[in-house]
Amino acid sequence: MDKAKSFDIPKQLVFGAYQQVAKNAGSAGVDEISIKMFHEEHKQHLYKLWNRMSSGSYFPPPVKTVLIPKKSGGERPLGIPTVADRIAQTVVKRILEPQLEPHFDEDSYGYRPKKSALDAVATARQRCWKYQWVIDLDIKGFFDSIDHGLLMRAVEKHTSCRWALLYIKRWLTADSQQPDGTRVMRIQGTPQGGVISPLLANLFLHYAFDKWMRKAYPNICFERYADDILVHCRTKAEAETILKAISERLAECKLSTNREKTKIVYCGLSEAYDDYPHRKFDFLGYTFRHRLTRSKIGKQFVGFVPAISNSAKKSLRQVIKRWRIHRRTYETIESLAKWINPYLRGWVNYYGKFYRSEMQSPLLQVEHYLKRWCKNKFRGKCHKASMDQALKYLGQVRKYKPHLFEHWRYGWGSPLV
């Protein structure tokens, strides 16, 4: 170790963090240096970052705040650190995560290795059949409300690495630069968009919620994906009691429930609750509600099952609209498929995991634009090109290349000709 350095931070650790950040891409921060620009002189940038982190003189620049539309309406702030700062955060995350991961709860799914949102949805699906009541818990402004003192106590419980603790404290209090250019000093919370933020948020709720639930209500099941939480109960009275206790627990941790969004949902089939106001909920892009479904042996029955939510469908349609497929007449249908299919495949793999037929509606939007693309394409050859001709062409293509587009694999396309 260099005697002039305060901390022993391996250069290889910094370089590995850079490779990970480069792979994840992302936007430029307040310094307007993109991944591409950083890469052009990455040796100099990385040495400078390593040198400052090792000497204790690294201070994170302000986090660039951008406003992202929320599916429920309104906007939420997203913090974008600089490329160099994302690398620095990744360095600390690589040190801290292996120490925290063994302690996290098995029903905590968010931003963890070998766990996914679909795992959480699958578990919730099984438990909604077993338990008739669900608390759909929403924490008000969670990422912006995390108490720094309580969070640092939790971090210090798991690591004595002095430089990791130093830089975590600095990231928590780093200024945010608003869209109008003004700077705001942060006294609580951790910015959504930071590399280290999900890990810190998980740690905070591990103590504020997970461990407390296991101790206070050891027989109650829950799923937590970051701050999206479901709690399963046997009766309405039990759900009301537990929700009250959870609200009090969160208040002790300087958090609060969002009363407008938090609700107790009935998942059962009793006619006595036909008029109950809350009989569905959204979780990780899925809407859970009663639907006609089919058993493994083909028998139909009504079950409380998940399918892609209406808000997720709307988001997919907006993305498809922005593609402006019908204007890309300079491309061949094969090149369109090559460009579009990775998106469609990703959507089907996620939103089509449960009750796939509900994916048909948003993906038929692709077919709509393909028809318009055909009509515009043929117009150059035939002034009177019609939608019927477009349908005929797509049907012929689909007949000879049935898997050209991802949605065609499931029969969601133009009639075969």
Side-chain angles (χ1 to χ4, degrees):
M1 174 180 169
D2 190 331
K3 293 183 179 180
K5 303 300 180 187
S6 302
F7 306 119
D8 183 13
I9 302 177
K11 291 181 179 178
Q12 192 60 37
L13 182 60
V14 178
F15 185 74
Y18 159 67
Q19 290 178 309
Q20 185 173 336
V21 170
K23 183 179 179 181
N24 294 335
S27 304
V30 294
D31 60 1
E32 300 299 331
I33 296 177
S34 65
I35 290 286
K36 182 178 179 181
M37 295 166 62
F38 190 96
H39 178 71
E40 290 172 354
E41 297 182 355
H42 69 279
K43 291 183 179 180
Q44 295 92 317
H45 288 309
L46 292 177
Y47 179 81
K48 182 178 179 181
L49 178 62
W50 168 81
N51 191 46
R52 289 185 173 180
M53 290 189 74
S54 297
S55 63
S57 62
Y58 176 73
F59 287 86
V63 176
K64 181 180 179 180
T65 300
V66 296
L67 299 178
I68 305 297
K70 296 171 67 175
K71 293 181 180 179
S72 58
E75 297 176 316
R76 67 177 176 89
L78 180 69
I80 303 177
T82 64
V83 173
D85 197 44
R86 295 206 291 273
I87 295 169
Q89 291 189 36
T90 303
V91 169
V92 174
K93 182 184 176 184
R94 287 185 156 203
I95 291 294
L96 191 60
E97 188 172 58
Q99 300 178 46
L100 298 181
E101 182 59 28
H103 299 279
F104 286 155
D105 194 275
E106 62 179 356
D107 279 317
S108 169
Y109 295 88
Y111 311 108
R112 294 183 60 191
K114 300 180 181 180
K115 284 184 176 287
S116 70
L118 286 178
D119 292 334
V121 174
T123 303
R125 174 175 173 267
Q126 293 175 350
R127 289 171 176 170
C128 282
W129 288 357
K130 186 176 181 181
Y131 302 98
Q132 293 190 325
W133 297 88
V134 169
I135 301 172
D136 180 15
L137 185 66
D138 187 276
I139 301 176
K140 188 174 182 180
F142 169 65
F143 279 88
D144 295 327
S145 304
I146 294 175
D147 182 82
H148 290 173
L150 293 176
L151 176 57
M152 288 310 303
R153 279 173 54 187
V155 176
E156 290 166 358
K157 184 179 179 68
H158 292 278
T159 184
S160 58
C161 180
R162 292 190 301 125
W163 57 271
L165 294 170
L166 172 68
Y167 293 127
I168 289 172
K169 289 177 182 177
R170 290 179 181 175
W171 282 314
L172 290 176
T173 56
D175 290 351
S176 62
Q177 181 172 296
Q178 302 302 300
D180 62 3
T182 58
R183 291 189 180 185
V184 177
M185 182 172 62
R186 186 182 296 108
I187 58 174
Q188 64 182 23
T190 180
Q192 293 190 61
V195 174
I196 198 74
S197 294
L199 182 62
L200 297 179
N202 257 346
L203 180 62
F204 192 91
L205 281 178
H206 172 70
Y207 286 103
F209 181 81
D210 300 354
K211 287 202 71 172
W212 174 82
M213 278 291 294
R214 295 304 185 200
K215 183 177 180 180
Y217 299 99
N219 297 320
I220 296 297
C221 299
F222 66 85
E223 299 87 38
R224 181 174 69 78
Y225 190 96
D227 60 329
D228 289 326
I229 304 172
L230 301 177
V231 181
H232 302 269
C233 303
R234 298 171 183 81
T235 65
K236 184 182 178 184
E238 183 180 60
E240 290 171 340
T241 299
I242 292 175
L243 177 56
K244 183 175 184 296
I246 290 173
S247 298
E248 293 172 353
R249 169 59 182 174
L250 292 178
E252 292 174 2
C253 300
K254 303 183 182 181
L255 298 172
S256 61
T257 57
N258 187 323
R259 294 185 179 181
E260 294 181 357
K261 294 183 178 181
T262 296
K263 57 184 181 290
I264 296 173
V265 180
Y266 179 63
C267 307
L269 296 173
S270 172
E271 294 181 359
Y273 291 98
D274 282 350
D275 296 328
Y276 186 73
H278 303 304
R279 301 193 62 170
K280 65 179 181 179
F281 62 85
D282 284 1
F283 184 58
L284 302 176
Y286 278 85
T287 295
F288 284 68
R289 66 173 178 83
H290 293 96
R291 306 175 195 272
L292 188 64
T293 188
R294 194 179 299 272
S295 68
K296 293 181 179 180
I297 60 173
K299 185 178 180 180
Q300 286 190 327
F301 66 98
V302 175
F304 196 84
V305 295
I308 180 174
S309 67
N310 287 335
S311 60
K313 288 180 182 179
K314 182 179 178 181
S315 296
L316 300 192
R317 290 192 185 101
Q318 289 173 341
V319 172
I320 293 166
K321 184 178 180 179
R322 288 197 298 268
W323 287 345
R324 298 179 65 80
I325 295 170
H326 60 297
R327 297 294 186 187
R328 302 175 73 95
T329 54
Y330 53 87
E331 294 202 46
T332 65
I333 195 165
E334 289 80 10
S335 63
L336 280 176
K338 185 177 180 180
W339 167 52
I340 292 171
N341 278 341
Y343 295 96
L344 304 187
R345 194 173 299 117
W347 293 342
V348 171
N349 287 344
Y350 184 80
Y351 294 110
K353 180 70 173 179
F354 306 99
Y355 221 87
R356 182 177 289 166
S357 60
E358 284 293 311
M359 283 292 296
Q360 181 174 359
S361 171
L363 292 193
L364 282 179
Q365 186 88 347
V366 175
E367 196 71 9
H368 167 73
Y369 281 107
L370 284 175
K371 294 172 188 175
R372 292 180 63 183
W373 174 85
C374 286
K375 188 176 179 181
N376 292 339
K377 184 96 169 175
F378 293 149
R379 187 171 292 157
K381 300 178 180 179
C382 176
H383 181 68
K384 295 183 179 180
S386 66
M387 190 60 75
D388 288 339
Q389 288 175 301
L391 279 170
K392 183 178 179 180
Y393 173 76
L394 281 178
Q396 290 173 338
V397 174
R398 188 177 164 218
K399 180 178 180 180
Y400 293 105
K401 297 181 179 180
H403 295 165
L404 181 61
F405 288 94
E406 187 67 23
H407 63 289
W408 287 2
R409 294 174 178 269
Y410 308 102
W412 304 332
S414 300
L416 297 175
V417 176

